[in-house]
Amino acid sequence: MTQVDTAETGQGSLAADDEGTQPAGGSSPGPWKRGPVLTACALLLGLLLLLHGKLTDLAGLGSLVETFLPWFGLFLPVLLAGALWRRSASSVVALLLPVTLWLNLFGGLLGDKSHQAGDLTVVSNNVAAENRDPAGTARDLAASGADLLALEELTNQARGTYEKELAKAYPHHTVQGTVGLWSKLPLSATRPVDVLRGMVGPLAEQLEPEDIPADPPRALRTMVATEKGPLAVYVVHLGSVRVMPRSGFWTESRDAGATKLAKAVAAERSERALVLGDFNGTMDDRAFDGLTSQLRSVQDVAGDGFGFNWPAKFPVARIDQILVRGVEPESAWLLPATGSDHRPVAARISW
């Protein structure tokens, strides 16, 4: 009896041990049933990358998402790490969707596509109205050796400094309002381009039309005489964007200017055109569809990486652009920071 009791006791202990290794709810879920939240997050991220253009732009949501769309790629390694930790096969498979879409959208920007060739070097910099060292900024920009130098956010106080410091390197220049172009080549047929906000925005809505101050021009168009023929050049500073407590991501001023600029470029008769300046937005933003359908971004075609240039201390977006039509982008890069909160953008183009 003692032996039987001992055997029975041992069997009971073994059964108890087996039960103790199992979770309270029964057997552990298989790899295809683990991590349902991770799987759902991966699918939602994929849908966002696929359908971002369909997002509502109510309160600027669509523009805000598209401005920082490349950064959504940071969720990919986080989700992958979670899937591996949970040993979730379904999450790993679901991640294939956002990974494929992100690479399709931005994978082409990861490599260096630049070439050594080029007929013309161009630079653009929002020099910032609050720049405390415009003379130093002018010298830094001149040292780039650019043939064309576009400056935005010029103030009346700083304009004379830039003209003085750049006179030797750039015998030709024009300033229209708050934007200017300094050139080593002759300029002609210069005129301002209307990209002003007009009657849009929360501030304008509170004023009568006659009470709205006349803003100086924020864009110009000129013809540059190159050895290989004329080049139409547009220097642009589109309206600012703001995060408003009630209206969200406010982009009306910029969007109105982008629409006007796209119409001006569409009406441009010169087959060769260069558009550069501060767009206050990235080329992924739907607001610039009218421009990207006509022009190519030098950064996309011939750059190295994303080319983020704002803010200068820790760039998270490329809001200054160089766009072309009828010429070939050869290379695109960033210059060292100046006294501005925007890093200068540069490119070489050829015919």
Side-chain angles (χ1 to χ4, degrees):
M1 292 294 293
T2 303
Q3 292 180 350
V4 173
D5 291 341
T6 303
E8 290 178 352
T9 303
Q11 291 177 357
S13 299
L14 180 59
D17 289 342
D18 289 342
E19 291 175 358
T21 61
Q22 296 177 359
S27 60
S28 175
W32 292 101
K33 295 183 178 180
R34 295 179 190 144
V37 174
L38 290 170
T39 302
C41 289
L43 293 175
L44 287 174
L45 180 58
L47 290 175
L48 177 66
L49 294 172
L50 178 65
L51 303 174
H52 64 87
K54 303 296 184 181
L55 278 178
T56 176
D57 210 25
L58 182 65
L61 177 62
S63 285
L64 181 61
V65 168
E66 289 169 337
T67 295
F68 298 103
L69 197 60
W71 291 97
F72 282 86
L74 293 179
F75 289 108
L76 296 174
V78 175
L79 290 173
L80 177 59
L84 294 177
W85 179 66
R86 293 284 289 126
R87 298 181 182 179
S88 171
S90 59
S91 299
V92 172
V93 172
L95 268 173
L96 293 176
L97 176 62
V99 168
T100 302
L101 291 169
W102 192 92
L103 289 175
N104 182 62
L105 289 170
F106 306 112
L109 298 175
L110 298 178
D112 185 357
K113 302 177 290 300
S114 62
H115 303 89
Q116 296 299 319
D119 300 311
L120 204 67
T121 301
V122 301
V123 167
S124 175
N125 188 207
N126 178 325
V127 293
E130 65 277 8
N131 192 328
R132 296 182 178 181
D133 186 20
T137 296
R139 289 191 294 268
D140 290 341
L141 294 173
S144 69
D147 300 292
L148 301 177
L149 180 58
L151 304 184
E152 303 87 46
E153 209 166 288
L154 293 167
T155 64
N156 291 331
Q157 294 82 359
R159 173 177 172 176
T161 301
Y162 288 107
E163 290 175 332
K164 177 182 178 181
E165 295 293 335
L166 297 173
K168 184 177 180 179
Y170 298 93
H172 311 280
H173 87 279
T174 180
V175 175
Q176 299 287 322
T178 62
V179 298
L181 181 69
W182 275 257
S183 173
K184 295 181 178 180
L185 304 169
L187 306 176
S188 63
T190 301
R191 57 177 173 80
V193 178
D194 179 19
V195 295
L196 296 178
R197 60 178 173 81
M199 284 293 293
V200 299
L203 298 179
E205 292 171 358
Q206 300 174 14
L207 300 174
E208 297 296 330
E210 61 271 14
D211 296 328
I212 297 178
D215 292 328
R218 293 171 65 102
L220 65 84
R221 182 265 191 191
T222 190
M223 293 297 295
V224 178
T226 76
E227 294 181 354
K228 297 190 176 182
L231 174 69
V233 177
Y234 291 75
V235 180
V236 182
H237 184 192
L238 296 181
S240 298
V241 298
R242 299 181 179 90
V243 178
M244 309 290 287
R246 294 185 178 180
S247 55
F249 190 54
W250 183 75
T251 63
E252 290 184 50
S253 174
R254 184 205 63 186
D255 295 352
T259 299
K260 291 183 176 182
L261 179 61
K263 291 180 179 179
V265 172
E268 175 59 56
R269 295 184 177 182
S270 175
E271 64 180 27
R272 301 187 184 99
L274 168 68
V275 182
L276 70 170
D278 179 3
F279 285 56
N280 272 309
T282 70
M283 289 297 95
D284 296 310
D285 195 315
R286 66 191 67 187
F288 303 108
D289 288 349
L291 288 168
T292 55
S293 64
Q294 306 179 63
L295 304 162
R296 295 188 294 167
S297 164
V298 296
Q299 183 65 32
D300 289 351
V301 177
D304 181 8
F306 291 94
F308 296 150
N309 78 306
W310 178 90
K313 292 183 178 180
F314 186 79
V316 297
R318 183 183 178 90
I319 65 173
D320 295 78
Q321 312 295 341
I322 302 177
L323 311 177
V324 296
R325 181 184 74 191
V327 295
E328 191 65 30
E330 297 291 352
S331 57
W333 65 97
L334 298 177
L335 295 179
T338 62
S340 169
D341 59 339
H342 295 238
R343 284 189 63 179
V345 295
R348 284 187 64 80
I349 59 176
S350 63
W351 272 251

